[in-house]
Amino acid sequence: MTRTPATSQALFERALRVAPGGVHSPVRAFRGVGGTPRFIREARGCRLTDVDGNTYIDFCMSWGPLPFGHGDPEVHEATRSALSRGWSYGAAETGSLELAELMTSRLPWVEKLRFVNSGTEAVMSALRVARAATGRARVIKFEGCYHGHVDSMLVKAGSGLADMAQPDSAGIAKHVAADTLVAPLDDEARVRELFDAQPGEVAALIIEPLPANYGLLVQRADFLKEIAGIARRHGALVIFDEVISGFRIGFGGMAAQLGIAPDLVTYGKVIGGGFPVGAYGGRAALMDLVAPVGPVYQAGTLSANPVAMAAGLATLRKLDTAPPYAALEASTRSFAAQMTATARAKGFEPFAVQHASSLFWPVLGEMRSAVRTVAAIPGTQRERFAKLFHALLDRGVYLAPSGFEVGFLSTAHGTDDLAQAAAAFGAALETLRAQP
Ligand SMILES: *Cc1c(COP(=O)(O)O)cnc(C)c1O
């Protein structure tokens, strides 16, 4: 059992006085599971150490940017070398050139790209390009897909006849939300209806081709192909938001796996190897709409920061030259199978693990078949996950603190580490069963 988080508790009380919820991104506050967020002192490989000296096997993994785990020596060396030469020039430099050349040479749907500082910025900019390219205002997104906190994407399905979305956050103007239309996942007929109802008005359809921000809602390939076809027939652009899936499920992400070339694509997370980097790209003709060549303005003081570029370049080169994908998929599959078998043996049911490549998501409740939509997520998910989360945390396993977030494996999660995590899972289930 881990030590009581006394130091984390004291720091959290201080943090609550100076930051909303004590954190700088909401889920970190543990509101989805209750309890005290752990303040992390350091991380190496697959392990986090908190300020009270507790060590955890980490499956949150900074929410996805670290395919080689924490403190990878090659990424470390590349950033140290970049840092020794300076850490921001605000001028042309070679790191971004080399990273852009690597990406454009390997991803045929990215002829040109622009680096930004986050996935949110990448999406915001891609949408701007799509609107400029088509001269249309509306965008179709999917319920359960997250595209960062840009106003037009923080929306939920409206109830009105016109299918216009409503803000899903305070502070977003209704008229901004109204240009977004929200469709359920896994329902191509609905997408067809939305397009038919708005002839000539939809600039783009944007989707996470592997939705991984509201559980892991793996989509049917034929659904993705069909909706891309519908969008194109209506003259709308297809935007793949691959901020999680890009370079994570394979170097070419979902676009390569599906054989669908998106018109525009957004990257983040892995592309910076744990530093703040995002990118948007696509065909040269579309990307040349961006300033200074074209009329779409988009800029960034710290964009293509040389240290961040060095981290991204080291990470992507390593992924390209020694692809870890098959091994990661195998270890994730085996870890998921161990958890499922343990749950069955201990009568902890219903329980399933949905997984794809190195991502996994425990489903805690009745499910008739694979969960592909928000509506199909069991109502028991939140409450049952919160208990499981704490039982695991107490035994040195750190999951993302929400039942609607996925877990990530890295190459630093060795067989012994995974066996240890699976044993902790078994022990956690014992205590959950003992609870009234
Ligand atoms: C994380 C994420 C974003 C937002 O990226 P930030 O860097 O957090 O702004 C956008 N889209 C998807 C699919 C993501 O997973």
Side-chain angles (χ1 to χ4, degrees), residues 23-384:
V23 291
H24 300 276
S25 194
V27 188
R28 294 180 197 172
F30 275 36
R31 293 278 177 104
V33 292
T36 305
R38 302 304 191 262
F39 278 66
I40 303 306
R41 188 176 67 203
E42 59 183 273
R44 273 289 169 277
C46 71
R47 283 181 169 74
L48 295 173
T49 303
D50 73 13
V51 288
D52 290 288
N54 296 307
T55 304
Y56 307 92
I57 300 176
D58 181 16
F59 291 103
C60 177
M61 291 310 282
S62 183
W63 308 90
L66 306 170
F68 302 110
H70 297 284
D72 176 72
E74 283 158 68
V75 178
H76 194 181
E77 183 45 43
T79 52
R80 187 163 38 205
S81 162
L83 195 58
S84 72
R85 286 175 273 120
W87 44 88
S88 188
Y89 314 128
E93 43 64 59
T94 50
S96 54
L97 169 62
E98 288 175 40
L99 187 52
E101 282 179 345
L102 173 60
M103 290 172 62
T104 53
S105 69
R106 299 279 282 99
L107 313 172
W109 52 93
V110 182
E111 290 176 353
K112 287 193 178 179
L113 63 89
R114 173 63 63 78
F115 290 116
V116 292
N117 299 295
S118 67
T120 297
E121 263 186 274
V123 167
M124 180 183 82
S125 310
L127 291 173
R128 191 175 297 152
V129 170
R131 288 183 165 123
T134 57
R136 303 172 178 185
R138 301 205 138 158
V139 172
I140 294 180
K141 82 174 284 283
F142 291 84
E143 185 189 7
C145 287
Y146 177 67
H147 301 292
H149 63 92
V150 56
D151 283 14
S152 66
M153 295 288 104
L154 275 190
V155 299
K156 59 187 173 203
S159 50
L161 292 171
D163 296 306
M164 287 182 274
Q166 293 172 358
D168 199 18
S169 157
I172 291 173
K174 282 203 192 72
H175 73 268
V176 172
D179 272 336
T180 306
L181 312 169
V182 183
L185 287 162
D186 195 38
D187 185 353
E188 42 273 72
R190 187 76 192 112
V191 174
R192 204 171 293 120
E193 274 171 32
L194 278 178
F195 271 107
D196 287 343
Q198 327 277 328
E201 290 192 51
V202 178
L205 173 144
I206 183 168
I207 189 166
E208 279 181 84
L210 179 65
N213 279 287
Y214 208 125
L216 183 63
L217 307 174
V218 181
Q219 298 300 295
R220 292 174 288 115
D222 53 336
F223 166 72
L224 294 165
K225 286 182 181 145
E226 181 65 23
I227 60 169
I230 297 169
R232 292 209 165 111
R233 282 198 290 283
H234 283 269
L237 301 185
V238 174
I239 306 177
F240 273 5
D241 182 352
E242 298 230 42
V243 170
I244 281 196
S245 51
F247 313 103
R248 159 67 59 183
I249 64 146
F251 197 86
M254 286 299 289
Q257 196 176 90
L258 293 160
I260 299 177
D263 298 295
L264 291 167
V265 61
T266 55
Y267 296 111
K269 300 195 170 100
V270 173
I271 202 184
F275 283 77
V277 180
Y280 64 106
R283 288 194 303 279
L286 285 172
M287 292 307 292
D288 278 340
L289 291 171
V290 178
V293 182
V296 175
Y297 193 71
Q298 185 273 309
T301 302
L302 295 176
S303 289
N305 170 272
V307 182
M309 290 291 110
L313 192 56
T315 303
L316 263 52
R317 273 189 182 145
K318 198 164 163 170
L319 289 169
D320 193 32
T321 51
Y325 300 110
L328 282 173
E329 134 96 331
S331 51
T332 307
R333 179 177 299 280
S334 130
F335 183 53
Q338 283 180 71
M339 282 195 284
T340 322
T342 306
R344 191 169 310 130
K346 297 198 185 284
F348 182 79
E349 285 175 312
F351 176 84
V353 180
Q354 298 204 156
H355 57 93
S357 188
S358 53
L359 291 81
F360 72 92
W361 177 51
V363 186
L364 298 152
E366 293 293 349
M367 50 191 275
R368 275 188 295 277
S369 54
V371 179
R372 300 192 194 282
T373 62
V374 173
I377 299 175
T380 45
Q381 180 72 9
R382 185 187 173 90
E383 194 194 321
R384 291 189 70 213

Side-chain angles (χ1 to χ4, degrees), residues 379-400:
T380 45
Q381 180 72 9
R382 185 187 173 90
E383 194 194 321
R384 291 189 70 213
F385 180 83
K387 289 183 181 153
L388 176 64
F389 172 85
H390 280 292
L392 282 170
L393 193 68
D394 283 348
R395 285 164 186 78
V397 174
Y398 190 97
L399 298 179

